[in-house]
Amino acid sequence: MRLWGGRFGDGPDSRMADFTRSIEVDAELALDDIAGSIAHVRGLARAGLLTAEESETLERGLAGLREDVAGGAVAWDPALEDVHMNLETLLTERVGAVGGKLHTGRSRNDQVVTDLRLWTRRAVTMLDSGMVDLERSLVDLADREGDAVLPGATHIQPAQPVLFAHHLLAYVEMLERDRGRLADARRRLNVSPLGAGALAGAGYPLDREATAAELGFDGVTANSLDAVSDRDFVVEVLAAVSLAMVHLSRLGEEVTWWSNPRFGFVRVADAFSTGSSMMPNKKNPDPAELVRGRTAGVIGALAGMLTLVKGLPLAYQRDLQEDKPAFFAAIRTLDASLSVMSGLVATLTVNRERMRTAAEEGYTTATALADALVRRGVPFRAAHHIVGGLVGGAEAEGIGSLAALPDEAFRAALDGSDDAAARRLAHERGIVPALRSAASVEGSLASADVVGGTAPHRVAAALAAAKARLGLE
Ligand code: ARG
């Protein structure tokens, strides 16, 4: 007979029992369920609903269960439906009839969402430390390869040179926002639903605040109907988790390109690569690809959760049991992805020469050259036109970079301009070496000298700030 079986004549059909059971999934909540029960027992004692002896017995029983669950010594009984029924039954087997008092003033509806909030709180802490680890790997690599230059791209076409460290620190920024989103979600999720009962509020004078404090919650939910049906925190965390996966997916995408021999910018360590069953030559960055691939499932979990709640009337509906499988899986996926990407990044080898050569291809210093003309009084639009002409000419002559153009090319371009300031410049002493230096990779990097720009001293400052934040050095 089920714990809820009093009014039933027949036992459950096995198809119904199999269909509604959740123990395979919610066993994950066992330790949180026990923590919630211990706090509840203390609350019942404070309210005079248990004698000191009864509450001690229950608490001792629950502490024993906690040990056995943590040690993997508990076998779940599928006939008992879910983790709550399993634990209550196990407790009663151990402590006797007083076990029947545990569920006083509590429903599985406020119980399960208490468990899930506790579980999510732990998950958020775990993910935060995974994010910090990955940030550290990125910052270490940025530090190690501080002056490597990457061909910055837009439209996947050569654009402007950037420091590799600057590129890596962009991902540190993303991860910092991810941490912020999790911390923000945690503030709202960290309230106790215990005492909401099934939906209307417990029928006993429970001190909900005291029980909440016992569980490390910052407060209590304000409305019992909302308390048992609210899964906003799952949606919020899944949204933050999805976005973090999107960031890792983008990083994974870049690593797959960078490690392609055509690029040859980085080598993924053997330990983070896989081979082919047929092609002996193959070395593939599979972890990066799988991070990208598994992002799909995590985004699916977010869409699924929103869809799950969108049509639910108040208060608890059994649909809500479906909040867990994809949520748990998404958290595990992000945690594992952070960890594998951290290892992959930490063991990347950088080929600075290949990067540097590529950074010069495609006349990437053209903007810096135009800016140099502007600094000498040429309107930007005229400067853009002059440098565009130089690029066109270099391309036609098969000259690979602006800095390699002959002196006459610079002078002729200035002299042929519609702009009077440009024409004056054509005859200025020392103008060509000055422009050639502006058109070098170093000149281009140095000119992006604003907060958040890729000028080396700006990147060094950003790196130092990131290190200080992460407690490195
Ligand atoms: N296994 C259920 C869940 O995860 C627990 C709550 C069930 N409550 C109920 N009244 N059937 O949502």
Side-chain angles (χ1 to χ4, degrees):
M1 189 58 76
R2 300 285 163 128
L3 290 178
W4 40 253
R7 64 157 292 169
F8 289 80
D10 286 332
D13 183 283
S14 68
R15 288 166 294 185
M16 195 286 296
D18 289 346
F19 194 71
T20 55
R21 185 171 57 227
S22 59
I23 184 64
E24 293 85 352
V25 171
D26 60 27
E28 173 80 23
L29 297 174
L31 291 173
D32 303 295
D33 196 74
I34 293 169
S37 288
I38 290 174
H40 184 61
V41 163
R42 292 180 188 167
L44 291 176
R46 272 194 299 273
L49 294 159
L50 295 173
T51 66
E53 201 194 318
E54 286 172 328
S55 89
E56 257 168 54
T57 306
L58 286 170
E59 215 181 293
R60 210 174 319 110
L62 286 163
L65 262 181
R66 183 174 53 201
E67 231 169 82
D68 293 348
V69 168
V74 167
W76 305 112
D77 181 356
L80 291 172
E81 200 173 334
D82 61 22
V83 70
H84 321 295
M85 297 301 202
N86 263 275
L87 287 171
E88 187 180 327
T89 304
L90 282 166
L91 178 69
T92 306
E93 279 167 20
R94 292 173 181 208
V95 302
V98 66
K101 295 197 172 189
L102 173 67
H103 213 52
T104 311
R106 191 176 72 171
S107 156
R108 277 184 295 165
N109 300 350
D110 57 351
Q111 183 180 0
V112 70
V113 73
T114 300
D115 297 357
L116 193 55
R117 282 175 188 271
L118 292 172
W119 187 92
T120 306
R121 198 171 71 186
R122 290 195 286 128
V124 163
T125 304
M126 172 180 83
L127 293 178
D128 186 73
S129 90
M131 287 174 182
V132 168
D133 280 351
L134 177 54
E135 284 188 45
R136 290 198 170 128
S137 293
L138 288 162
V139 163
D140 279 344
L141 182 59
D143 208 14
R144 238 180 13 254
E145 303 294 342
D147 42 2
V149 189
L150 195 68
T154 62
H155 313 263
I156 330 185
Q157 303 299 322
Q160 292 182 274
V162 294
L163 285 180
F164 184 50
H166 193 51
H167 196 104
L168 295 170
L169 286 172
Y171 283 97
V172 172
E173 290 299 312
M174 294 177 224
L175 286 161
E176 277 296 297
R177 290 195 295 275
D178 291 329
R179 294 182 65 204
R181 269 182 285 272
L182 286 179
D184 182 52
R186 188 193 189 282
R187 281 195 299 117
R188 271 182 300 282
L189 78 81
N190 198 33
V191 288
S192 174
L194 272 186
L199 75 166
Y204 306 90
L206 298 173
D207 182 348
R208 297 189 57 211
E209 296 279 359
T211 303
E214 194 102 55
L215 290 167
F217 284 122
D218 297 322
V220 299
T221 55
N223 179 296
S224 62
L225 295 166
D226 182 45
V228 293
S229 31
D230 171 28
R231 295 296 184 275
D232 289 4
F233 66 100
V234 178
V235 173
E236 287 188 46
V237 170
L238 276 175
V241 164
S242 296
L243 195 41
M245 282 301 296
V246 165
H247 294 150
L248 299 194
S249 178
R250 295 180 74 174
L251 179 59
E253 170 77 8
E254 301 216 83
V255 169
T256 60
W257 283 110
W258 290 343
S259 63
N260 179 302
R262 286 274 164 131
F263 286 75
F265 298 165
V266 300
R267 257 190 97 257
V268 177
D270 286 357
F272 287 92
S273 305
T274 59
S276 158
S277 61
M278 180 174 149
M279 299 170 282
N281 58 314
K282 288 291 286 178
K283 184 179 160 207
N284 303 322
D286 283 27
E289 296 166 64
L290 280 171
V291 164
R292 197 174 57 192
R294 286 184 187 155
T295 301
V298 172
I299 294 169
L302 171 61
M305 192 62 212
L306 286 165
T307 312
L308 178 70
V309 290
K310 82 175 187 31
L312 294 186
L314 296 179
Y316 178 86
Q317 318 297 333
R318 191 63 180 265
D319 312 47
L320 289 172
Q321 180 167 294
E322 298 308 299
D323 58 1
K324 290 176 234 25
F327 180 46
F328 290 169
I331 302 277
R332 279 192 286 267
T333 297
L334 176 56
D335 187 51
S337 302
L338 286 165
S339 161
V340 80
M341 287 306 278
S342 177
L344 185 148
V345 167
T347 54
L348 276 182
T349 333
V350 172
N351 187 329
R352 292 189 190 204
E353 293 68 36
R354 290 293 294 259
M355 257 191 213
R356 165 88 200 195
T357 306
E360 298 196 39
E361 279 167 9
Y363 310 102
T364 53
T365 60
T367 306
L369 178 56
D371 289 341
L373 293 176
V374 168
R375 266 181 235 114
R376 287 166 177 79
V378 180
F380 179 73
R381 205 36 73 200
H384 190 289
H385 196 78
I386 291 165
V387 177
L390 285 170
V391 168
E395 206 169 37
E397 298 287 321
I399 297 171
S401 84
L402 291 171
L405 281 167
D407 288 12
E408 315 83 71
F410 282 101
R411 288 198 193 280
L414 292 170
D415 218 17
S417 170
D418 291 347
D419 182 67
R423 286 196 304 276
R424 270 195 305 280
L425 274 184
H427 306 289
E428 217 170 78
R429 183 187 285 283
I431 184 67
V432 171
L435 294 182
R436 199 170 270 131
S437 138
S440 68
V441 167
E442 278 63 36
S444 175
L445 289 170
S447 74
D449 186 10
V450 290
V451 172
T454 197
H457 80 100
R458 299 289 186 177
V459 176
L463 189 57
K467 279 185 178 174
R469 204 167 51 215
L470 294 166
L472 296 168
E473 286 179 356

